[in-house]
Structures are given as C-alpha cells and as structure tokens.
Amino acid sequence: MDAQSRGRADDIDPADQWVLNPQTGNYELRLDHSAGESPVAARTATGADSGHRGDARIGSQRDGSASEDAGLREGAGLHKESGRREDSGRREVPGQRSRRAGQGGGRGADASAAGGAGRRKRKAPKARRKKALMWTGGVTAFVVVAAGVGAYILYERFNGNISTIDIGDAGNKDVLSEGPMNILIIGTDKRTGKGNEGYGDKGSEGHADTNILFHVSEDRTNATALSIPRDLMTDIPDCETKQPDGSTKTIPGTPGVRFNVSLGQEGRNPGCTMQTVEAITGIKPDHFMMVDFNAVKELTTAVGGVKVCMAKPVDDPKSHLKLPAGESVVAGEDALALLRTRHSFGNESDLDRIKVQQQFLGSMIREMKSSDTLTNPTKLFKLADAATNALTVDQGIGSAKKLMTLAQEIGKVDTKNITFVTLPVIDNPAETVKATVVPHPTQAEQLFAMMRSDTSLTEVKQKEKAAKSAQAALLKGPKAAPADVRVDVLNGGEISGAAGATVTWLQNQQGVLKSTNKANAPEKIGKTTLEYAPNQADQARALAEMMGLPAAAMKPGTADAGELEAMVLTLGADFKGAGIPITGPAKAPEGIEKASADKAVCAK
C-alpha cells in the first residue's frame, strides 16, 4: 500500500498505529509511519504473491474475532468503522478512521458506492499528535501496583486523570530503584463524593485509614505486603510539606498518637505518612499511591466485581452489608461496605478488618490475572479509565507512562510469592480500656529486619539457596568460645547508647566478657562492619553468628593481630537494637499470620 492510498504519514491517527498480529492474536504498535503499512500488512501482501497464503492465514480468523473487534471499539469509545473489510483479509484496528472514499482501486470504489459514508473530517494537529501507550490497570491502587496485568491503548488524556502531590524529599524521584522497591498504599477515609456522606465524619480531611507497605524484592521474585494498623500508637515525626504557593512548611511532630493522624490532620500530606512509616520500620518508601471511598466503588465496578467468601452469613446494620455464607461477588457500595465493616468478623477489631482486606486484595489480584480480564478489551479499558481517575500519587510516578513502567516491573512477581502480613502488635499496656495497639516487643523488629535485608516470606528457592550459601560460607569453620572473643564496639548508627547496650547484651546474654564499649565512631555509617585479623577468624565467626551479621559486614585484614588485640565492631544505621539480628531472621517469627495472594480464604 502506498502513501497515497493511506494518507500522509503525519496524518495517521494514533489508533491507526495499532494492527492485529494474526500469529499472536494481539494488537501491535506499527512504528514505521513513513511506510504507512504494518508488518502484518506486508506479510499479507507477500502471501498474496505466493498463492494467497496470507489471505488464507488471516481470513481464517475473521469470523471468530468479529465480536471481539466490536467490543474493543465500543469499549474504548472509539469510532466504529463504516467501510467494509477488504477482501485482502486485512483486519481493521480498533477505531481506524475510514479515509478511502474516492481513492483508486477496488477499495476506493467500494467506499464510493457507499456514498462516502466512511469519510471523516481530519482532526486538529493537537489531536493527531496524541500518542497511544500501554497501561496496566487495577481494581484498587494496590492492584495497580501488585498485579501488573493486562495492557490496553490509552491516550495522553489519561494523564490528566491522575492527581499528584509534591512530597519533596520524602520519596524517590525516579520511577524505579536499582534495589528493592517500597510503595506505600494509603486508603483514606475522606468522605468526598456522591453518596459518601452517610459514612460519618462529614467534612473530615481524612486519615491514613488503610495502610500497606508493599515491598518488592531486588530480584523481583517476591513481594511482602505489610499492613500497618490505623490504631497503632506511635510518634509522628516532623515533616516538611509543600504549600500551594510553592513555599515549604514544617509541621511539628506529635508523640504518642494513632498512626492514622499522620495524614490529613494539621496539614499533613502523604509524605508525612511515608516518613512515619520509615520511623517505625526503618524502611523508606519510594512512592505512595492513595485512593478514597469513591475509588473503591468505581474500580470494583469497572472490573466487574470481586469474588469473596464468607465463613458465615453477614448482616451488619451499621455498614448495611448483607452477604450469604460461601462465595459472593461484590462491587461498588457492597465492596466498600465489606472493606469498612468491623462488626462482622472476629472480635470486631481493626485487626480483623485488616484480615478481610487482605483476603479481598488477594482475590482482586487473582481476578486481574485471570483470562476473563486479560482477554476482555472492554473491561480493560474501563478498568484503566477508572484507575487513572482514582489515583493520587507522588510526582515521581505522576503520569500514565510512569505508572505503566512501575506496574510492569512489579508485575514480574508471581502471585504465589506475594505475601500479606500484619505488623505484629500487642494491646497498649498504658490503657485500661484497650483501644489502641503498640508494636510487639520482639516480633515487629524481627519482621522489619527481614524486609530490610530483602528476605522473602515465601519460599523463593533460587533466592533462598543463594542467601543460605553465602551465610553458610561465612560461618564455615571453627568458632571461638564466647569467653575467648575479644571485641571493641563503636556506635556509628542512629541509636543513642547503642554501643553500651550491645556490650551489656554480649556480656550478660552471650558470655562475651572481653567486649568493650568504645563509644561513638568517628563518623556515621550505613552498614555495620566487623574488622578482624586472619588469626581472629574463629572469633569473627562466633560473633557473626551471635549478631546475625551478613557476609558483607565482614572485613578481614591481611596481618595477624597481637594476642591482646581486639576486633572492631562498628554499628551502622542498619543496627536496630541489641539482640536483633542485623540480617533479620531466615524466616518469619513464630505466631505471625501470613496469607498468600494465590489462595482463597473465607472470612471468619
């Protein structure tokens, strides 16, 4: 096909740049505009010259895909083709404009016979310059991040759907990071939008009501979704916020308050919530994604509902949720009611509500990765449209293209290796009437240490094998008795008095009596190090095992040490407390409940 029969290359509509590849069944982007012809069309022409093999190959797919084409055009809200399909077997792409009336050849005659009905007024240059791009959708912000499934043609107009907030230095300016990635998912209880006034707290600026720290491993083989209870008592740190006039305002921190006031209250934005999460866990979020009540309703409706399972019938007069025992499909108001209710499950606490939310999210991921969604263009379009309208994100991911890049990267994680877990807590001992919680004194920090050291909560065999091999090699060989370990301890981390506390723990709990507190190191360091001489290797192995030091912490020298010379242990920013392994435990602490995204569980 020449340029005259297709129009000039710079007049090609964005929708015309997508053609069907009959070998894969997918629409593909045609990059060669100057030729005005897709690789598929070129192969068709070649097949015609060789006994019409191309016509036979492509034409065999027409009838079975006609309804799909119609649904694709209708679902995208694009122009339906008025001209007939060519006899050559070339299949029209969604939304292709008919510009053949009056042209030479059989096709021009056909269009003329139709009275030129397929001819349309040429769009303005601005509209013609809109680029087609791929987008991965989700039912909630979490699914947009975690599922990484499906792709569909969206135009740059969807960028205008996405709201952004400038959080300054609280996050990562780049979309992706070289190591592990951490995205904070925030569900706010702000009551804006039609039909949401009845949920109470009208006019509130909203709180950090639902919070999930989504940690994706460096090798993208696994992910941990850590739910942080809204009623967790914590200290909100000082945080800087950008004002509408471009100035910066520092909001003073507040000690001993609920976690959910880290957002909305006193002018705090999601950057403040991110900094609060970092203060609690020692993990800095790279980005945030925030949704409100309307987003839950719109997204669950767009995906066609989410399958849930109840262990017993639910009839909650407060949330107006009514569900039978067994499986149901919820969307819109019912989906929001399910995620909001606390009185239908367990002991009616926020912790039981979190379990239901995790089960719901797992079901959404399975739905998003199902063939029913991946092969339904109309559903994918609606989902992408709703998702871009629903999201508020930081500027680092504040465009459809950036979100697509992030979603595709995280979509590499297999569903079976996405693990939900709740921050381990106990009842607040300072309260007579138990209304809030505090981090578990040992389990919480152990879980945080696992995430900081990028240790999977699922069995990712290749990764775990490599980690175990490195640690085994580190500890291989004889180990000195604790009484024979001689070490000087310096504090190069953030915790005041860490060196003294470590020496006390080594002496009283581990029997390392020849340990000495050398106070502060000359400068702060990020990673804990242990410097030792070759003839102190047995002592180093013993101390490494006690403290859970990673292989990277070991710094062997080249010359032997004197008889009374001590090793030097310098605590870094990764040190979180005496007795807490630097690397984190190899597996989750006993008693921590986990849930996998690939398994359906009935809410109790």
Side-chain angles (χ1 to χ4, degrees), residues 214-217 219-225 365 369 412-420 456-464 595-599:
F214 189 65
H215 170 87
V216 184
S217 67
D219 61 8
R220 311 304 189 237
T221 63
N222 64 91
T224 299
I365 294 173
K369 292 205 171 188
K412 298 175 183 178
V413 181
D414 194 311
T415 306
K416 68 180 180 181
N417 293 330
I418 299 175
T419 304
F420 294 98
S456 173
L457 293 182
T458 59
E459 293 186 6
V460 183
K461 295 181 180 179
Q462 185 176 3
K463 178 181 174 65
E464 289 189 353
S596 176
D598 71 330
K599 291 182 173 61

Side-chain angles (χ1 to χ4, degrees), residues 372-410:
D372 289 344
T373 299
L374 294 177
T375 59
N376 189 324
T378 302
K379 182 182 288 188
L380 284 175
F381 180 88
K382 291 179 179 178
L383 193 55
D385 191 22
T388 52
N389 272 302
L391 291 174
T392 299
V393 301
D394 60 279
Q395 293 181 335
I397 53 174
S399 72
K401 183 177 181 180
K402 291 178 179 180
L403 283 171
M404 173 201 69
T405 300
L406 181 64
Q408 287 179 332
E409 182 75 4
I410 298 175

Side-chain angles (χ1 to χ4, degrees), residues 255-288:
V257 292
R258 281 179 166 87
F259 177 88
N260 66 349
V261 303
S262 63
L263 175 70
Q265 313 310 301
E266 300 182 26
R268 296 187 177 106
N269 65 18
C272 299
T273 307
M274 294 169 71
Q275 292 178 54
T276 304
V277 168
E278 183 179 3
I280 295 171
T281 65
I283 301 168
K284 181 177 181 178
D286 296 299
H287 303 289
F288 82 87

Side-chain angles (χ1 to χ4, degrees), residues 426-558:
I426 59 173
D427 288 334
N428 187 351
E431 296 177 336
T432 302
V433 178
K434 305 304 181 184
T436 61
V437 294
V438 296
H440 190 284
T442 58
Q443 292 181 351
E445 186 51 47
Q446 289 174 347
L447 182 59
F448 301 155
M450 288 187 70
M451 296 177 67
R452 289 194 299 265
S453 62
D454 204 20
T455 302
S456 173
L457 293 182
T458 59
E459 293 186 6
V460 183
K461 295 181 180 179
Q462 185 176 3
K463 178 181 174 65
E464 289 189 353
K465 184 177 180 180
K468 289 178 180 178
S469 296
Q471 206 64 22
L474 168 67
L475 299 177
K476 187 177 181 180
K479 301 179 183 65
D484 295 330
V485 174
R486 188 184 297 272
V487 60
D488 291 340
V489 183
L490 294 87
N491 183 15
E494 303 296 332
I495 301 176
S496 178
T502 298
V503 168
T504 299
W505 175 78
L506 286 171
Q507 293 179 350
N508 296 340
Q509 303 296 323
Q510 302 298 314
V512 183
L513 301 179
K514 298 174 184 177
S515 53
T516 305
N517 176 11
K518 293 294 185 178
N520 292 330
E523 59 183 4
K524 299 288 186 180
I525 60 174
K527 303 291 185 181
T528 297
T529 61
L530 177 61
E531 301 172 72
Y532 60 97
N535 61 338
Q536 295 173 323
D538 59 340
Q539 297 181 49
R541 284 190 285 267
L543 188 63
E545 185 174 55
M546 294 175 197
M547 299 194 62
L549 298 179
M554 310 302 283
K555 306 296 180 184
T558 57

Side-chain angles (χ1 to χ4, degrees), residues 324-346:
E327 290 188 346
S328 301
V329 175
V330 296
E333 291 287 351
D334 286 340
L336 179 60
L338 176 64
L339 296 178
R340 294 283 305 156
T341 184
R342 290 191 303 162
H343 302 286
S344 301
F345 308 105

Side-chain angles (χ1 to χ4, degrees), residues 29-261:
L29 180 65
R30 179 180 58 245
L31 298 176
D32 186 5
H33 294 178
S34 62
E37 183 174 85
S38 74
V40 177
R43 288 195 297 271
T44 304
T46 302
D49 292 339
S50 305
H52 301 282
R53 288 189 298 271
D55 283 354
R57 182 172 63 252
I58 300 177
S60 63
Q61 300 182 23
R62 290 181 196 159
D63 296 339
S65 304
S67 61
E68 178 182 336
D69 281 350
L72 182 63
R73 292 192 296 271
E74 183 176 356
L78 300 175
H79 173 64
K80 293 185 178 180
E81 186 69 16
S82 57
R84 70 176 182 88
R85 184 179 293 136
E86 292 86 339
D87 293 337
S88 66
R90 186 166 187 266
R91 187 174 182 176
E92 300 300 335
V93 294
Q96 183 172 344
R97 272 63 172 174
S98 180
R99 293 189 290 269
R100 302 187 176 90
Q103 295 173 352
R107 281 173 294 193
D110 289 343
S112 298
R119 194 169 185 86
R120 291 175 60 89
K121 184 177 180 180
R122 182 175 298 169
K123 284 190 173 184
K126 181 178 180 180
R128 292 199 305 269
R129 288 195 297 267
K130 288 186 176 180
K131 300 176 182 178
L133 51 84
M134 304 292 284
W135 171 250
T136 297
V139 182
T140 66
F142 179 85
V143 175
V144 174
V145 171
V149 296
Y152 196 69
I153 304 170
L154 291 178
Y155 297 106
E156 284 185 352
R157 69 184 178 86
F158 285 107
N159 286 333
N161 291 347
I162 303 171
S163 299
T164 63
I165 294 177
D166 187 350
I167 56 173
D169 297 329
N172 191 341
K173 302 299 183 183
D174 297 325
V175 177
L176 305 179
S177 56
E178 294 182 358
M181 292 191 298
N182 299 286
I183 298 93
L184 181 62
I185 313 302
I186 304 173
T188 176
D189 58 355
K190 192 172 183 178
R191 269 73 167 173
T192 55
K194 183 179 180 180
N196 295 325
E197 302 86 353
Y199 289 99
D201 203 12
K202 183 178 179 181
S204 169
E205 289 296 320
H207 305 77
D209 192 58
T210 299
N211 309 277
I212 298 175
L213 179 60
F214 189 65
H215 170 87
V216 184
S217 67
E218 181 175 2
D219 61 8
R220 311 304 189 237
T221 63
N222 64 91
T224 299
L226 175 69
S227 293
I228 302 175
R230 65 178 187 180
D231 294 329
L232 179 76
M233 295 299 287
T234 189
D235 296 336
I236 308 296
D238 296 349
C239 64
E240 292 186 349
T241 60
K242 293 288 185 179
Q243 302 301 301
D245 61 1
S247 63
T248 300
K249 177 182 178 181
T250 299
I251 301 177
T254 308
V257 292
R258 281 179 166 87
F259 177 88
N260 66 349
V261 303

